[in-house]
Amino acid sequence: MIFYWRCLVEALVIGRATGRFSLFRRRRRNKTRFASLSLSLQNRDVVGIALLLLLVQSTISSSIRNSRKMVVSPKIAPSMLSSDFANLAAEAKRMVDLGADWLHMDIMKLSFVVIDLYDTEPFLVSYLLTSLLFHLQDGHFVPNLTIGAPVIESLRKHTSAYLDCHLMVTNPMDYVEQMGKAGASGFTFHVEVAKENWQELVSKIKSAGMRPGVALKPGTPVEEVYPLVEGETPVEMVLVMTVEPGFGGQKFMPSMMDKVRALRQKYPTLDIEVDGGLGPSTIEAAAEAGANCIVAGSSVFGAPEPGKVISLLRTSVEKAQPTT
């Protein structure tokens, strides 16, 4: 920019003194920069040429700015766990239409226990998230999935969106094939349950046509995922849980941002996702730490204008990300 301003000053001086306008080669810091333009001028034309130079400079500067790219792109993923499950397809379409990049699907096992079916007021003690299927057995625990392969398969028929599946299960290997066939886009497993077989698991995920990711709970040291990012067959995303997994509506844990910062410093081009308590009041901390994939549930679905929240999350990530 300084180069063009110097040329402009010289053009004005030379133009007024000689009636000719010329920009010539200059050397600066051992790098040659040059531009040349020579034509006969009347003194009154110098101002016009100066304005033309300013326009050229503005165009070049704009092109340079537009050519800069973020190291990692923002990906906003509304958590479908907070959606209206009775209208899941419509909710998915609404989020995509409002600007969502991904749809985050939480997949976890739940247990039901019936206290006493023969009591006068029998009741079920559970935390039922899907309200899709009840299995009641007297005095027994019955494991179920909140969102399983059948739901993914059904939803896939109604959307081409990236289905970002986060599996909070103890045996992720058992779900790879069925999730792949169902149409899952990403398969994120927990490092806590895959320390012994993660290489085989990642290979299997990729073979099934899905993008592998690894998640870690708040109590898990970030160093435990380093081998998975640096392995011969690496994961392509790390999910840092900013709440304890399993329940929606929890408060964001700012101390988890140290993990995000460590990951971003070590892996500049890695997709780093955060999940739990993300919204307008917490996005700045996450974005500044280096997170670029943002999972947001109640802050999006519970907002009067979800589209504005999605836009705010994206803008915060864009502002915080470095460019090249």
Side-chain angles (χ1 to χ4, degrees):
M1 182 179 293
I2 294 175
F3 168 69
Y4 290 109
W5 278 110
R6 285 179 178 175
C7 288
L8 175 59
V9 172
E10 290 170 6
L12 289 171
V13 173
I14 295 171
R16 288 186 179 279
T18 68
R20 293 184 63 81
F21 181 91
S22 64
L23 299 181
F24 46 87
R25 187 167 64 182
R26 300 181 57 86
R27 291 183 177 275
R28 183 182 178 211
R29 294 183 182 176
N30 299 321
K31 293 184 179 180
T32 300
R33 297 184 179 185
F34 64 91
S36 63
L37 176 63
S38 181
L39 63 158
S40 297
L41 301 170
Q42 297 295 326
N43 284 339
R44 64 177 177 271
D45 295 327
V46 173
V47 174
I49 295 298
L51 292 175
L52 177 61
L53 268 181
L54 287 174
L55 177 62
V56 171
Q57 177 198 338
S58 176
T59 301
I60 293 174
S61 299
S62 177
S63 297
I64 292 173
R65 285 194 300 271
N66 292 337
S67 66
R68 292 174 179 170
K69 295 182 179 179
M70 286 180 288
V71 177
V72 287
S73 61
K75 301 175 181 70
I76 310 304
S79 176
M80 300 305 289
L81 196 63
S82 297
S83 68
D84 178 2
F85 272 33
N87 299 284
L88 198 58
E91 289 282 71
K93 183 180 186 303
R94 181 167 71 107
M95 290 298 106
V96 173
D97 290 346
L98 289 173
D101 301 283
W102 293 355
L103 299 177
H104 188 77
M105 317 296 289
D106 282 309
I107 298 167
M108 68 188 86
K109 279 193 172 183
L110 298 178
S111 292
F112 305 82
V113 58
V114 176
I115 301 300
D116 186 357
L117 285 179
Y118 303 103
D119 196 358
T120 54
E121 295 182 3
F123 61 96
L124 177 68
V125 178
S126 66
Y127 184 72
L128 180 61
L129 298 176
T130 60
S131 301
L132 294 177
L133 181 63
F134 290 86
H135 286 294
L136 307 182
Q137 294 186 8
D138 185 15
H140 297 280
F141 287 91
V142 183
N144 285 273
L145 289 173
T146 53
I147 298 175
V151 177
I152 299 296
E153 184 176 11
S154 296
L155 185 58
R156 175 54 75 204
K157 296 174 183 177
H158 300 277
T159 183
S160 60
Y162 185 97
L163 300 183
D164 176 35
C165 298
H166 173 204
L167 283 88
M168 289 170 275
V169 296
T170 57
N171 51 340
M173 191 78 76
D174 294 346
Y175 296 93
V176 175
E177 184 176 356
Q178 56 181 288
M179 295 300 291
K181 289 181 178 178
S185 307
F187 187 109
T188 299
F189 59 91
H190 270 264
V191 66
E192 295 88 359
V193 298
K195 294 179 180 179
E196 304 299 325
N197 65 342
W198 66 265
Q199 292 175 315
E200 179 187 359
L201 177 57
V202 171
S203 295
K204 192 172 181 179
I205 293 169
K206 287 189 173 183
S207 296
M210 296 177 289
R211 188 168 183 252
V214 64
L216 63 160
K217 296 169 64 176
T220 302
V222 68
E223 291 79 9
E224 291 196 12
V225 303
Y226 291 171
L228 284 74
V229 180
E230 300 170 5
E232 184 176 342
T233 306
V235 296
E236 299 178 27
M237 183 183 76
V238 174
L239 165 56
V240 177
M241 293 299 300
T242 50
V243 298
E244 288 295 338
F247 299 92
Q250 296 182 68
K251 290 185 178 180
F252 176 79
M253 301 170 67
S255 59
M256 294 301 103
M257 294 305 96
D258 289 340
K259 295 181 182 180
V260 175
R261 274 186 285 270
L263 286 165
R264 180 56 68 213
Q265 183 175 5
K266 195 172 179 65
Y267 311 111
T269 61
L270 178 68
D271 273 337
I272 302 175
E273 188 171 59
V274 285
D275 181 5
L278 273 302
S281 64
T282 55
I283 182 58
E284 295 296 335
E288 289 174 4
N292 68 297
C293 303
I294 311 297
V295 178
S298 55
S299 65
V300 171
F301 285 97
E305 297 183 83
K308 287 188 176 181
V309 177
I310 291 174
S311 178
L312 184 152
L313 299 177
R314 183 188 310 284
T315 300
S316 296
V317 173
E318 290 174 343
K319 287 182 178 179
Q321 286 297 320
T323 56
T324 57

